[in-house]
Amino acid sequence: MRNRIRDYRQKNGLTQGDLATQVGTTAQTISRLEGGNMTLSTDWLVRFANVFHVHPTDLLEQPGQRDISVIGAVDPNGSLAPKDPDPLSLNVPFHDALALKMTSDISHYRSGDILVCEKLPDADKETAVGKDCFVMLSDQTGVLCRVMKDPSSDEARYILSPLTANQNARFSNAIAYMAPIRMRISYF
Protein backbone atom coordinates (compact mmCIF):
# COMPACT_ATOMS: atom_id res chain seq x y z
CA MET A 1 0.00 0.00 0.00
CA ARG A 2 1.40 3.38 -1.00
CA ASN A 3 1.85 5.96 1.73
CA ARG A 4 1.53 9.74 1.57
CA ILE A 5 4.49 10.71 3.78
CA ARG A 6 6.30 12.44 0.90
CA ASP A 7 3.13 14.40 0.01
CA TYR A 8 2.71 15.67 3.58
CA ARG A 9 6.43 16.37 3.98
CA GLN A 10 6.50 18.49 0.82
CA LYS A 11 3.22 20.23 1.70
CA ASN A 12 4.81 21.23 5.02
CA GLY A 13 7.98 22.47 3.32
CA LEU A 14 10.24 19.94 5.03
CA THR A 15 13.32 18.20 3.66
CA GLN A 16 13.89 14.53 4.43
CA GLY A 17 16.54 15.66 6.91
CA ASP A 18 14.13 18.06 8.64
CA LEU A 19 11.50 15.34 8.97
CA ALA A 20 14.09 12.82 10.16
CA THR A 21 15.10 15.16 12.99
CA GLN A 22 11.47 15.59 14.06
CA VAL A 23 10.71 11.85 14.18
CA GLY A 24 14.11 10.78 15.52
CA THR A 25 15.70 8.94 12.59
CA THR A 26 17.91 9.54 9.53
CA ALA A 27 17.14 11.06 6.13
CA GLN A 28 18.01 7.68 4.57
CA THR A 29 15.29 5.97 6.64
CA ILE A 30 12.79 8.66 5.61
CA SER A 31 13.70 8.04 1.96
CA ARG A 32 13.16 4.27 2.35
CA LEU A 33 9.82 4.77 4.16
CA GLU A 34 8.56 7.26 1.55
CA GLY A 35 9.54 4.95 -1.29
CA GLY A 36 7.92 1.88 0.26
CA ASN A 37 11.29 0.14 0.61
CA MET A 38 10.88 -0.29 4.36
CA THR A 39 7.91 -1.53 6.39
CA LEU A 40 5.78 1.33 7.68
CA SER A 41 4.71 0.20 11.16
CA THR A 42 1.97 1.77 13.27
CA ASP A 43 4.73 3.30 15.40
CA TRP A 44 6.08 5.14 12.34
CA LEU A 45 2.56 6.20 11.31
CA VAL A 46 1.91 7.71 14.75
CA ARG A 47 5.24 9.58 14.71
CA PHE A 48 4.56 11.09 11.29
CA ALA A 49 0.94 11.87 12.16
CA ASN A 50 2.10 13.83 15.21
CA VAL A 51 4.48 15.91 13.09
CA PHE A 52 1.88 16.60 10.37
CA HIS A 53 -1.07 17.00 12.79
CA VAL A 54 -3.18 14.43 10.93
CA HIS A 55 -4.75 11.09 11.75
CA PRO A 56 -2.36 8.16 11.07
CA THR A 57 -4.74 6.69 8.46
CA ASP A 58 -4.46 9.94 6.46
CA LEU A 59 -0.91 8.86 5.69
CA LEU A 60 -2.06 5.73 3.85
CA GLU A 61 -3.42 5.82 0.33
CA GLN A 62 -6.53 3.69 -0.05
CA PRO A 63 -7.33 1.73 -3.24
CA GLY A 64 -9.47 3.82 -5.58
CA GLN A 65 -8.55 6.99 -3.71
CA ARG A 66 -7.33 9.98 -5.69
CA ASP A 67 -6.15 13.44 -4.83
CA ILE A 68 -8.60 16.21 -5.62
CA SER A 69 -7.34 19.78 -5.66
CA VAL A 70 -9.12 22.26 -3.41
CA ILE A 71 -8.73 25.11 -5.90
CA GLY A 72 -9.97 27.94 -3.73
CA ALA A 73 -12.44 29.33 -1.26
CA VAL A 74 -15.91 30.63 -2.09
CA ASP A 75 -16.48 34.12 -0.68
CA PRO A 76 -19.85 35.45 0.60
CA ASN A 77 -20.75 36.65 -2.92
CA GLY A 78 -20.25 33.18 -4.41
CA SER A 79 -17.00 34.16 -6.17
CA LEU A 80 -13.88 32.06 -6.07
CA ALA A 81 -10.92 33.38 -4.11
CA PRO A 82 -8.04 31.30 -5.54
CA LYS A 83 -5.44 29.84 -3.24
CA ASP A 84 -2.63 27.33 -3.43
CA PRO A 85 -4.28 23.96 -4.05
CA ASP A 86 -4.48 21.65 -1.06
CA PRO A 87 -4.91 17.99 -1.89
CA LEU A 88 -7.98 16.20 -0.61
CA SER A 89 -7.94 12.41 -0.98
CA LEU A 90 -11.30 10.80 -1.61
CA ASN A 91 -12.74 7.83 -3.41
CA VAL A 92 -15.17 9.46 -5.83
CA PRO A 93 -17.08 7.80 -8.69
CA PHE A 94 -16.02 10.38 -11.28
CA HIS A 95 -12.71 11.30 -12.89
CA ASP A 96 -12.25 15.03 -13.30
CA ALA A 97 -12.93 16.31 -9.79
CA LEU A 98 -12.17 19.59 -8.05
CA ALA A 99 -13.12 20.91 -4.65
CA LEU A 100 -14.04 24.27 -3.12
CA LYS A 101 -14.09 25.36 0.50
CA MET A 102 -16.98 27.53 1.71
CA THR A 103 -15.94 30.56 3.79
CA SER A 104 -19.50 31.62 4.63
CA ASP A 105 -23.06 30.32 4.50
CA ILE A 106 -24.55 30.49 0.99
CA SER A 107 -27.94 28.92 0.31
CA HIS A 108 -27.90 25.51 2.01
CA TYR A 109 -24.09 25.28 1.96
CA ARG A 110 -22.41 26.15 5.26
CA SER A 111 -19.15 27.85 6.13
CA GLY A 112 -16.47 25.16 6.34
CA ASP A 113 -18.21 22.78 3.92
CA ILE A 114 -16.09 21.34 1.15
CA LEU A 115 -17.91 21.02 -2.15
CA VAL A 116 -16.63 18.34 -4.52
CA CYS A 117 -17.51 19.04 -8.16
CA GLU A 118 -17.19 17.09 -11.39
CA LYS A 119 -15.65 19.11 -14.21
CA LEU A 120 -17.72 18.34 -17.31
CA PRO A 121 -16.42 17.96 -20.86
CA ASP A 122 -17.76 20.64 -23.23
CA ALA A 123 -20.12 18.16 -24.87
CA ASP A 124 -21.85 17.54 -21.53
CA LYS A 125 -22.49 21.15 -20.48
CA GLU A 126 -26.23 20.74 -20.98
CA THR A 127 -26.30 18.21 -18.11
CA ALA A 128 -25.38 21.04 -15.72
CA VAL A 129 -28.62 22.94 -16.44
CA GLY A 130 -30.79 23.21 -13.34
CA LYS A 131 -27.96 22.28 -10.98
CA ASP A 132 -25.75 24.10 -8.50
CA CYS A 133 -22.33 24.32 -10.14
CA PHE A 134 -18.94 25.88 -9.96
CA VAL A 135 -18.51 27.71 -13.26
CA MET A 136 -15.16 28.94 -14.54
CA LEU A 137 -15.62 31.71 -17.07
CA SER A 138 -13.24 32.27 -19.99
CA ASP A 139 -11.67 35.24 -18.15
CA GLN A 140 -10.74 32.81 -15.30
CA THR A 141 -13.38 34.22 -12.97
CA GLY A 142 -14.97 31.42 -10.97
CA VAL A 143 -18.48 31.53 -9.51
CA LEU A 144 -20.76 29.22 -7.52
CA CYS A 145 -24.24 29.43 -9.05
CA ARG A 146 -27.30 27.65 -10.40
CA VAL A 147 -26.94 27.11 -14.16
CA MET A 148 -29.97 27.74 -16.37
CA LYS A 149 -30.35 27.74 -20.16
CA ASP A 150 -31.13 31.17 -21.62
CA PRO A 151 -34.49 30.65 -23.39
CA SER A 152 -34.14 33.89 -25.34
CA SER A 153 -30.96 32.73 -27.09
CA ASP A 154 -30.59 30.24 -29.92
CA GLU A 155 -26.89 29.75 -29.17
CA ALA A 156 -25.28 28.07 -26.16
CA ARG A 157 -25.86 30.89 -23.70
CA TYR A 158 -26.46 30.28 -20.02
CA ILE A 159 -27.94 32.16 -17.09
CA LEU A 160 -25.68 31.93 -14.06
CA SER A 161 -28.09 32.50 -11.21
CA PRO A 162 -26.41 33.43 -7.91
CA LEU A 163 -27.12 31.41 -4.79
CA THR A 164 -27.21 34.60 -2.70
CA ALA A 165 -30.10 37.05 -2.69
CA ASN A 166 -28.01 40.21 -3.13
CA GLN A 167 -26.40 39.31 -6.48
CA ASN A 168 -27.57 39.73 -10.06
CA ALA A 169 -27.73 36.88 -12.55
CA ARG A 170 -25.10 36.79 -15.29
CA PHE A 171 -25.68 35.80 -18.89
CA SER A 172 -22.73 34.11 -20.53
CA ASN A 173 -21.60 31.95 -23.39
CA ALA A 174 -17.93 32.51 -22.49
CA ILE A 175 -17.61 29.53 -20.17
CA ALA A 176 -14.33 27.65 -19.78
CA TYR A 177 -16.00 24.80 -17.90
CA MET A 178 -18.91 23.83 -15.67
CA ALA A 179 -18.57 21.57 -12.65
CA PRO A 180 -21.80 20.44 -10.96
CA ILE A 181 -21.60 19.83 -7.22
CA ARG A 182 -21.60 16.08 -6.69
CA MET A 183 -20.68 15.85 -3.01
CA ARG A 184 -20.71 18.05 0.09
CA ILE A 185 -18.46 17.33 3.05
CA SER A 186 -19.66 18.93 6.28
CA TYR A 187 -17.84 18.91 9.58
CA PHE A 188 -19.88 18.99 12.78
Side-chain angles (χ1 to χ4, degrees), residues 17-179:
D18 296 335
L19 182 56
T21 301
Q22 292 189 37
V23 297
T25 192
T26 66
Q28 182 181 13
T29 298
I30 298 296
S31 177
R32 291 194 325 243
L33 288 165
E34 286 181 350
N37 300 320
M38 186 173 162
T39 302
L40 184 61
S41 67
T42 53
D43 179 57
W44 281 117
L45 285 171
V46 169
R47 288 191 209 178
F48 289 120
N50 288 335
V51 170
F52 299 132
H53 306 291
V54 298
H55 192 276
T57 59
D58 292 339
L59 297 169
L60 299 174
E61 188 169 284
Q62 305 298 319
Q65 188 174 13
R66 68 170 74 66
D67 280 346
I68 300 169
S69 291
V70 178
I71 62 169
V74 177
D75 70 19
N77 295 320
S79 298
L80 180 71
K83 65 182 202 69
D84 291 333
D86 288 329
L88 172 68
S89 292
L90 291 174
N91 186 2
V92 293
F94 43 90
H95 296 287
D96 204 357
L98 59 93
L100 311 165
K101 184 166 186 171
M102 300 300 295
T103 60
S104 61
D105 294 355
I106 297 177
S107 184
H108 55 278
Y109 306 111
R110 299 291 163 244
S111 180
D113 284 355
I114 296 174
L115 306 180
V116 181
C117 307
E118 179 182 16
K119 188 175 168 184
L120 298 175
D122 286 342
D124 293 341
K125 281 183 179 175
E126 291 296 317
T127 64
V129 172
K131 296 183 174 118
D132 291 351
C133 297
F134 172 72
V135 176
M136 182 65 77
L137 300 172
S138 298
D139 67 0
Q140 297 304 299
T141 302
V143 63
L144 184 64
C145 61
R146 170 72 52 107
V147 174
M148 308 301 287
K149 184 82 168 130
D150 183 356
S152 67
S153 176
D154 292 334
E155 57 188 61
R157 189 169 126 156
Y158 298 92
I159 301 169
L160 307 180
S161 180
L163 301 179
T164 58
N166 60 345
Q167 298 289 312
N168 293 322
R170 300 181 194 190
F171 294 82
S172 183
N173 58 359
I175 294 174
Y177 64 83
M178 293 183 189

